[in-house]
């Protein structure tokens, strides 16, 4: 059913790794549904965030950062990102204002040139890191050999600068449509997925550079007792024994800190006390094995 005057639609968020797509999505929906890290290639799946008001509902598709793939997982991530362009009513192309337009941006722009019927917005993020007098040059560089942008928005996803105006504009441009999800629903992903991502985020934040891209998290079991305590058993998957040692840490300090930080976020998500148990397992070269990718939640059709 469509309420008269109610607007709805799907917005794909695309860009290079680490330009702030997940930070922007989390700010819009008001909860951490997409994990954030200063490591590139943090987001691996298309994560849908849902923003609902009395007059509109916007479903945002946060895509993996577009990069040069080095393995089957990388291929999956890039295919996943570009497939979102065909599912959307509008596209947000996010760039980093503090970095010059580069080959990765140009590659995405070339693909965006193929999109002829969907409006594309250029979002110049991290303007809080850039002197105002340099912003005009950055914007101008993205107007050469580029699509005809529907709108250009300088924003700061971290500080929230210009984000309300961006939301108001995109909602105004959407057509009338149905409310796809309940008003209190923030994502289409099940709790298991979000919990696994919160744990993986802590691994990304705390471990050394050689570990993050080799990590997957699988939720083995979730249960709750009569007192409302939620018990979660999770496996952290790495590719080498040396990475396992890093994740566990000396005398188990690292895995304990990962669990402590993840538990706090999970309790905030669930609104319940949580008992979290984690194990670290080695699955050699899992990122290049389709069967392993599928078992860890990546769709078979995408790799």
């Amino acid at each position: 059913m469509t309420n008269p005057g109610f607007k709805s639609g799907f917005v794909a968020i695309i860009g290079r790794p680490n330009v702030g797509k997940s930070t922007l999505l989390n700010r819009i929906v008001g909860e951490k549904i997409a994990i954030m890290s200063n490591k590139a290639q943090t987001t691996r799946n298309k994560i849908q965030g849902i923003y609902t008001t009395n007059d509109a509902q916007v479903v945002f598709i946060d895509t993996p950062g577009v990069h040069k793939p080095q393995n089957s997982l990388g291929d999956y991530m890039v295919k996943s990102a570009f497939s979102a362009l065909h599912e959307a009513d509008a596209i947000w192309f996010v760039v980093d204002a503090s970095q010059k337009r580069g080959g990765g941006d140009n590659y995405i722009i070339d693909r965006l040139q193929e999109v002829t019927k969907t409006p594309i917005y250029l979002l110049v993020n991290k303007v809080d890191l850039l002197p105002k007098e340099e912003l005009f040059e950055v914007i101008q560089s993205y107007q050469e050999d580029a699509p005809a942008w529907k709108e250009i928005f300088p924003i700061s996803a971290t500080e929230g600068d210009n984000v309300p105006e961006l939301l108001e504009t995109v909602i105004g441009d959407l057509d009338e449509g149905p409310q796809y999800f309940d008003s209190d629903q923030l994502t289409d992903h099940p709790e298991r997925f979000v919990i696994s991502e919160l744990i993986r985020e802590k691994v990304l934040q705390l471990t050394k550079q050689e570990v993050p891209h080799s990590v997957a998290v699988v939720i083995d079991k979730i249960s709750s007792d009569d007192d409302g305590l939620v018990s979660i058993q999770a496996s952290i998957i790495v590719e080498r024994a040396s990475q396992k040692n890093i994740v566990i840490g000396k005398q188990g300090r690292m895995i304990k800190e990962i669990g402590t930080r993840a538990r706090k976020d999970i309790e905030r998500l669930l609104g319940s006390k949580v008992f979290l148990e984690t194990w670290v397992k080695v699955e050699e070269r899992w990122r290049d094995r389709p069967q392993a990718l599928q078992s860890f939640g990546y769709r078979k059709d995408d790799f």
Side-chain angles (χ1 to χ4, degrees), residues 164-180:
E165 293 81 1
L166 170 63
L167 268 173
E168 184 179 350
T169 298
V170 77
I171 290 173
D173 290 339
L174 291 175
D175 294 330
E176 290 189 15
Q179 181 172 321
Y180 296 98

Side-chain angles (χ1 to χ4, degrees), residues 109-160:
I109 287 172
D110 286 343
R111 295 294 297 267
L112 290 176
Q113 301 273 29
E114 301 170 8
V115 180
T116 56
K117 297 182 179 180
T118 307
I120 306 172
Y121 300 73
L122 174 66
L123 276 52
V124 183
N125 190 27
K126 304 186 184 182
V127 295
D128 52 305
L129 304 179
L130 190 73
K132 290 183 178 180
E133 56 269 17
E134 296 180 19
L135 181 58
F136 176 77
E137 294 182 9
V138 173
I139 293 175
Q140 191 174 34
S141 72
Y142 282 96
Q143 291 179 296
E144 301 169 359
D145 300 319
W149 309 117
K150 173 72 174 180
E151 298 275 358
I152 299 175
F153 274 88
I155 65 167
S156 170
T158 301
E159 302 297 328

Side-chain angles (χ1 to χ4, degrees), residues 33-150:
I33 61 167
I35 70 172
M36 297 180 293
S37 167
N38 59 0
K39 311 286 195 305
Q41 302 173 32
T42 299
T43 301
R44 287 177 176 168
N45 302 76
K46 289 182 293 186
I47 297 174
Q48 292 194 163
I50 304 162
Y51 175 82
T52 307
T53 68
N54 292 331
D55 304 312
Q57 184 173 82
V58 187
V59 183
F60 293 97
I61 308 170
D62 178 29
T63 63
V66 176
H67 62 286
K68 186 176 181 180
Q70 302 294 327
N71 46 51
S72 295
L73 175 59
D75 288 333
Y76 165 86
M77 291 165 65
V78 173
K79 288 179 182 178
S80 179
F82 284 123
S83 69
L85 301 182
H86 305 289
E87 304 169 9
D89 301 296
I91 298 168
W92 286 358
F93 173 41
V94 184
V95 301
D96 186 341
S98 66
Q99 298 183 7
K100 292 184 178 180
R101 174 175 167 176
D105 298 302
N106 293 335
Y107 174 63
I108 298 172
I109 287 172
D110 286 343
R111 295 294 297 267
L112 290 176
Q113 301 273 29
E114 301 170 8
V115 180
T116 56
K117 297 182 179 180
T118 307
I120 306 172
Y121 300 73
L122 174 66
L123 276 52
V124 183
N125 190 27
K126 304 186 184 182
V127 295
D128 52 305
L129 304 179
L130 190 73
K132 290 183 178 180
E133 56 269 17
E134 296 180 19
L135 181 58
F136 176 77
E137 294 182 9
V138 173
I139 293 175
Q140 191 174 34
S141 72
Y142 282 96
Q143 291 179 296
E144 301 169 359
D145 300 319
W149 309 117
K150 173 72 174 180

Side-chain angles (χ1 to χ4, degrees), residues 270-282:
L270 301 180
S272 304
K273 287 291 185 181
V274 169
F275 176 69
L276 175 63
E277 290 183 282
T278 54
W279 290 268
V280 186
K281 301 178 181 179
V282 177

